[in-house]
Amino acid sequence: MLIDLLIVAVTISLLTFLTATKHNMISRLKQNSITSGLLLAIIQLMLFISRLDCANAELSEFYNIVISVLVKFRPLLAGALFKIIFGIVEDIQNKQNSKQDDKANVKEKTSALDFSVLSRREIEVARLASKGYTNSQIAECLYISTETVKSHMNSIFEKLEISSRKELLNK
């Protein structure tokens, strides 16, 4: 039984190594599991049948033959077991990847603001606004009027295609 399991595992690994890329390794392991077990089961069944032919086994031992055939299908069962295990692992990885993709999409949306479209002064205003400064505090820091800050903020919102300071704060 252990030898069958080992042979199936080695065959799975070999098939996967020959056919898989880095990105689809787990799905290939899953696909190759049944193939490996089936291949080994067929080889063992063929050897079993050839031994029966050589020994001229009697058909009266029907139950012994059925049990022997089922024993020869152990590698197929081992392959099915590997397929189930790799299927579970693949599902877990897909869920983790989708969670990471969701987090990356949220980060991308908030950090996708392209400040290169802003003028030097608008960048200064946006930097202070993203730190939570009010218009009057920004005006005081940059020695400009509050009306000028409002004008810069309107321009920043338009160029960055945002609608509130909260979107700058998420940056």
Side-chain angles (χ1 to χ4, degrees):
M1 174 82 179
L2 275 143
I3 292 173
D4 291 341
L5 190 61
L6 181 64
I7 291 171
V8 170
V10 168
T11 309
I12 291 169
S13 301
L14 183 63
L15 285 172
T16 302
F17 176 74
L18 294 174
T19 61
T21 63
K22 187 178 182 180
H23 301 292
N24 67 351
M25 188 69 74
I26 295 294
S27 63
R28 283 294 188 172
L29 283 169
K30 189 173 105 176
Q31 289 172 355
N32 293 333
S33 298
I34 293 292
T35 307
S36 301
L38 186 59
L39 181 64
L40 189 58
I42 289 171
I43 291 169
Q44 286 184 347
L45 187 59
M46 289 171 53
L47 290 172
F48 175 70
I49 291 170
S50 66
R51 276 190 242 134
L52 280 177
D53 286 343
C54 292
N56 289 327
E58 295 180 19
L59 293 176
S60 62
E61 299 175 4
F62 178 73
Y63 292 111
N64 289 336
I65 292 172
V66 170
I67 291 171
S68 297
V69 168
L70 291 176
V71 167
K72 297 300 176 191
F73 277 101
R74 286 183 301 186
L76 180 60
L77 296 175
L81 179 66
F82 279 124
K83 182 166 182 145
I84 291 167
I85 291 169
F86 292 135
I88 292 168
V89 170
E90 184 180 36
D91 290 341
I92 291 169
Q93 281 186 341
N94 287 341
K95 287 178 184 177
Q96 288 175 345
N97 288 342
S98 74
K99 285 180 184 177
Q100 288 173 351
D101 289 345
D102 291 344
K103 287 180 183 177
N105 287 340
V106 168
K107 264 189 176 178
E108 194 175 293
K109 285 179 183 176
T110 58
S111 65
L113 300 177
D114 183 16
F115 287 97
S116 66
V117 297
L118 302 178
S119 69
R120 183 183 56 80
R121 195 58 151 180
E122 288 169 342
I123 291 172
E124 291 173 347
V125 171
R127 182 180 53 83
L128 292 172
S130 69
K131 290 182 179 180
Y133 283 47
T134 64
N135 285 353
S136 58
Q137 290 171 327
I138 294 171
E140 194 176 304
C141 286
L142 298 178
Y143 303 106
I144 56 177
S145 71
T146 14
E147 293 303 314
T148 305
V149 172
K150 287 178 185 176
S151 174
H152 284 310
M153 289 302 293
N154 286 334
S155 178
I156 291 166
F157 288 166
E158 187 178 308
K159 288 179 180 179
L160 296 180
E161 298 176 357
I162 59 175
S163 58
S164 70
R165 288 177 181 250
K166 288 180 183 178
E167 293 178 63
L168 278 175
L169 290 172
N170 290 335
K171 183 4 188 146

